[in-house]
Amino acid sequence: MRVKLVRRLCSQPARSSCQNAALYYMGHRPHLPKSSAGSLNAIDGTQRGASTLVLALFVVVILVTAIVGLVFGHKLGYQRGFHSMQTETKQAMINSTEATRELEKLSLSHKIATNQASTAKQELAISLANLNELRKSQQTLTVKNRQISQLNELYADIVSDKGGMPLQVIGAEIKPLPENAFEYGFDVGMLSSDGKAKRLTPTLTLLNDDDLVEVPLDPSFYTIEGITRIRGRFTMPTGFKPLQVKLSLQAGGQKIEQLYNWTLGASVDGMPLSLLDLPKVDESPIEP
């Protein structure tokens, strides 16, 4: 149809040219004159050169793009690797610093533990030495106490053989305490002629010009064979002001009364604020 269309449109002088163009268009190359063939060859060469140039440019573009991508990727990878290496290096330095600090702390702790262990060894050695001294002192005191006990027994036998020692008060003391309380102490001596222990019944009475108050003693009786110490505490009745203290003793058929002025209960400096702050009753001997 294209051939017919070309034939219709072409004029008569150009009929041969149109036919040739139609045949060329349909894939047939008619025999042309040499001049026409040369022109066509030149055109084909130019087209082929242009196609080759375009292909070369395309290849060049692809290569340039690949190279640019490779360079950019390498640079990006290098930057990431360098940044990662910097991060790891910083972290390693931080870890090393922390490890150094921990090592210093451990070293300091080790020094402190060593010093404490050395101090503990020294304290242990001192404690053992003190304990050894205390043991020696205790042994010495034990021996002395036995010697004194033997001597007292000897004296007691001698005194008993000579009729014994009469009932008597060796020492007396009354001390003020907090909360209107008082502590009393009496050292009593007696040795019967038969050398046996006797029952001792004490009575403590507070006196003034008009009234008297008997102090309850706990315990109410003692056993006496040589020296007995009577100790205890009592609370003064409200409003009562004693002038004298009377101690009555009865043991082995003997009976005595001892009267003391209330000056024995004079105030004491530095007294505790409460009875709860006080130790137990003092059992030490009273100096006459």
Side-chain angles (χ1 to χ4, degrees):
M1 293 177 66
R2 288 183 178 180
V3 175
K4 292 179 179 182
L5 181 58
V6 171
R7 287 179 180 179
R8 290 179 182 177
L9 294 177
C10 292
S11 59
Q12 186 66 29
R15 181 174 183 183
S16 60
S17 299
C18 291
Q19 289 179 354
N20 292 333
L23 292 174
Y24 182 80
Y25 180 81
M26 296 183 67
H28 298 282
R29 304 183 69 177
H31 296 284
L32 299 173
K34 292 182 180 181
S35 58
S36 299
S39 299
L40 291 175
N41 290 330
I43 293 172
D44 290 340
T46 302
Q47 292 179 348
R48 290 178 181 176
S51 299
T52 303
L53 180 60
V54 170
L55 181 61
L57 291 175
F58 180 74
V59 172
V60 170
V61 169
I62 292 176
L63 290 175
V64 171
T65 303
I67 292 171
V68 171
L70 181 62
V71 171
F72 181 76
H74 177 73
K75 183 177 181 180
L76 181 61
Y78 175 79
Q79 290 179 350
R80 289 183 178 179
F82 181 73
H83 179 69
S84 177
M85 183 179 297
Q86 282 185 336
T87 303
E88 292 179 358
T89 302
K90 290 180 180 179
Q91 187 64 37
M93 292 178 65
I94 293 173
N95 294 336
S96 177
T97 303
E98 292 179 353
T100 303
R101 291 177 180 175
E102 292 295 330
L103 183 60
E104 291 177 354
K105 290 181 180 179
L106 289 176
S107 178
L108 180 60
S109 299
H110 177 69
K111 290 181 180 178
I112 293 174
T114 302
N115 293 333
Q116 290 178 349
S118 178
T119 303
K121 289 181 180 179
Q122 293 177 358
E123 292 178 351
L124 179 60
I126 294 173
S127 298
L128 292 176
N130 293 335
L131 182 60
N132 189 26
E133 292 294 330
L134 288 175
R135 288 177 179 175
K136 292 180 179 179
S137 299
Q138 185 178 8
Q139 292 176 354
T140 303
L141 289 175
T142 301
V143 173
K144 288 184 178 180
N145 287 334
R146 289 178 180 176
Q147 293 174 351
I148 293 173
S149 297
Q150 292 175 350
L151 184 60
N152 289 337
E153 291 176 359
L154 179 60
Y155 287 158
D157 292 338
I158 294 173
V159 172
S160 296
D161 293 340
K162 292 183 177 183
M165 181 178 66
L167 181 62
Q168 57 185 307
V169 179
I170 301 174
E173 183 180 43
I174 295 179
K175 298 186 296 185
L177 300 177
E179 303 174 8
N180 199 30
F182 295 86
E183 180 175 301
Y184 59 86
F186 301 98
D187 291 342
V188 180
M190 176 184 172
L191 190 61
S192 63
S193 58
D194 57 4
K196 295 181 180 179
K198 302 298 179 181
R199 180 187 175 98
L200 172 66
T201 303
T203 303
L204 184 63
T205 306
L206 305 178
L207 306 171
N208 60 16
D209 293 335
D210 301 323
D211 298 319
L212 58 88
V213 174
E214 184 174 336
V215 177
L217 303 182
D218 185 21
S220 59
F221 65 90
Y222 297 83
T223 300
I224 184 169
E225 185 183 5
I227 296 177
T228 298
R229 294 181 174 86
I230 301 173
R231 300 289 188 271
R233 292 172 180 172
F234 69 92
T235 301
M236 185 69 69
T238 303
F240 185 81
K241 295 182 179 181
L243 298 176
Q244 292 180 324
V245 179
K246 184 175 70 173
L247 177 63
S248 301
L249 300 173
Q250 184 176 356
Q254 301 182 40
K255 184 177 181 180
I256 64 170
E257 290 183 354
Q258 190 73 39
L259 195 63
Y260 302 95
N261 292 328
W262 184 247
T263 54
L264 293 174
S267 61
V268 177
D269 296 333
M271 184 172 57
L273 298 177
S274 174
L275 290 173
L276 298 177
D277 299 329
L278 292 173
K280 295 182 179 180
V281 176
D282 188 4
E283 296 289 343
S284 61
I286 298 174
E287 295 180 2

